Structures are given as structure tokens and as C-alpha cells.
């Protein structure tokens, strides 16, 4: 079913909107959640939370890129679940490893101007990503947005893990230089 029709079902408060969303984008949303959480049970809960958020948000919203919107909502629920888990356990995890890799490029959370800097940083990272070759950009997004492992990225990109590792390293170095030139770090 076309995305506009699915969104229209939400606007009509037709419960089949959730079923249609799951048929068309359930696998995608579960892939995002499973990749971040590493747990089917937690991932399924985040996907269900995504569908509930869609039900509550549509209307008044009409996302232009429905699948991207769904992935973003699923990702946020998944990250919130990790944060809650880490708060309880004070442990580590795959998501924290991803953040650790980028830590040197990001602004301190204690910054007074955090909100402004966050918006500026987001725009700068988007600009930076457009400068990367397509393959490097995909690897960067798979790793730092979808939180895939290096072996998963290598399989998806049909290349060796060493290629992924070196690409990610070079991209992080370029990002650090870019953000430094933009005076964001």
C-alpha cells in the first residue's frame, strides 16, 4: 500500500493503518531496533511503541518521508531503552561502544549552550556526510545511526571487515577535522 494511503488510514483513525504499516515497514523497523538492542524481545517492544507513537502522532503530523520517520522513532525508542537499562545496570553495551568511538568528535553534554550547539552540530554533521563518497557515507550511517556491527556492515556492503574498519576510522578523523574547522569542538 502507498505511504499516503497508510497515513490517510491514520488520519481516518482506521486501526488497519497499524497492520499496513507493519506489513510494509515492520521488517525495516525491527531491523533498526534489533541492530541497536541486540534483543528480539526488546526490539519488538520498541517497534510496538513506534506503532503506538504513529497512532498518537498521525494526525496532526503528516511525515513527508514515512519510512525515515518510522526508523527515527524506532531508533529513539531503542536508544531510550538502552539508556534506561544502563541507568539500572551501570554497564556497557554495543551502543555505548558506538558512542565511545564518536566521543572525541562530539560536544560536551555539560555545555550551557547545549541545545544551540546540538542543532549546529547536527547541521554540520549532515553537511560533512554529503562530502563523503557514497560507500563511506553508507558505512558511517550503518555504524553510527543504525548501530550495526562491523561484520554486519561488511556483509551488507559486500566487502572485507578491514575495509569497513579503515573507512570508519578515516571518516571519524575527517569528521573531527571538519568539526574543528567549523569550531564546533
Amino acid at each position: 500500500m502507498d505511504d499516503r494511503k497508510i497515513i490517510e488510514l491514520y488520519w481516518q483513525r482506521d486501526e488497519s493503518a497499524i497492520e499496513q504499516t507493519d506489513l510494509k515497514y515492520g521488517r525495516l523497523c525491527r531491523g533498526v531496533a534489533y541492530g541497536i538492542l541486540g534483543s528480539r524481545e526488546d526490539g519488538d517492544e520498541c517497534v510496538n511503541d513506534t506503532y503506538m507513537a504513529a497512532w498518537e502522532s498521525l494526525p496532526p503530523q503528516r511525515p513527508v518521508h514515512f519510512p525515515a520517520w518510522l526508523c527515527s522513532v524506532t531508533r529513539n525508542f531503542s536508544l531510550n531503552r538502552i539508556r534506561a537499562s544502563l541507568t539500572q545496570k551501570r554497564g556497557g553495551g554495543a551502543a555505548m561502544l558506538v558512542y565511545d568511538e564518536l566521543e572525541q568528535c562530539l560536544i560536551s553534554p555539560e555545555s550551557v549552550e547545549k541545545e544551540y550547539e546540538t542543532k549546529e552540530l547536527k547541521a554540520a554533521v549532515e553537511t560533512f556526510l554529503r562530502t563523503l563518497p557514497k560507500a563511506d557515507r553508507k558505512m558511517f550511517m550503518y555504524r553510527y545511526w543504525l548501530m550495526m556491527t562491523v561484520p554486519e556492515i561488511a556483509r551488507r556492503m559486500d566487502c572485507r571487515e578491514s575495509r569497513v574498519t579503515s573507512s570508519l576510522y578515516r571518516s571519524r578523523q575527517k569528521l573531527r577535522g571538519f568539526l574543528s574547522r567549523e569550531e564546533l569542538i
Side-chain angles (χ1 to χ4, degrees), residues 72-144:
S72 181
V73 172
T74 304
R75 181 176 185 273
N76 288 337
F77 278 121
S78 300
L79 293 174
N80 288 341
R81 184 170 288 271
I82 285 175
R83 282 186 201 103
S85 172
L86 290 178
T87 299
Q88 291 172 3
K89 293 185 211 172
R90 296 283 181 223
M96 293 301 106
L97 174 62
V98 169
Y99 286 130
D100 287 345
E101 289 176 6
L102 284 176
E103 181 178 38
Q104 298 169 15
C105 303
L106 301 177
I107 297 168
S108 166
E110 291 79 39
S111 174
V112 176
E113 299 132 1
K114 182 181 176 191
E115 188 172 328
Y116 174 76
E117 290 174 345
T118 300
K119 288 179 184 175
E120 221 177 310
L121 178 63
K122 180 182 177 207
V125 170
E126 288 172 358
T127 300
F128 165 75
L129 288 173
R130 286 191 289 272
T131 69
L132 292 177
K134 186 177 181 177
D136 292 341
R137 183 173 53 243
K138 284 175 117 177
M139 288 181 201
F140 192 92
M141 294 299 292
Y142 287 153
R143 179 71 176 148
Y144 300 112

Side-chain angles (χ1 to χ4, degrees), residues 8 10 12 16 21 39 46 51 53 56 64 76 80 83-84 88 93 112-113 140-141 153-154 158 160 163 177:
E8 191 57 40
Y10 281 103
Q12 294 170 5
S16 68
T21 302
S39 161
C46 287
Y51 297 155
E56 292 171 353
V64 177
N76 288 337
N80 288 341
R83 282 186 201 103
Q88 291 172 3
V112 176
E113 299 132 1
F140 192 92
M141 294 299 292
I153 296 168
D158 193 30
R160 297 206 280 206
R163 162 78 171 95

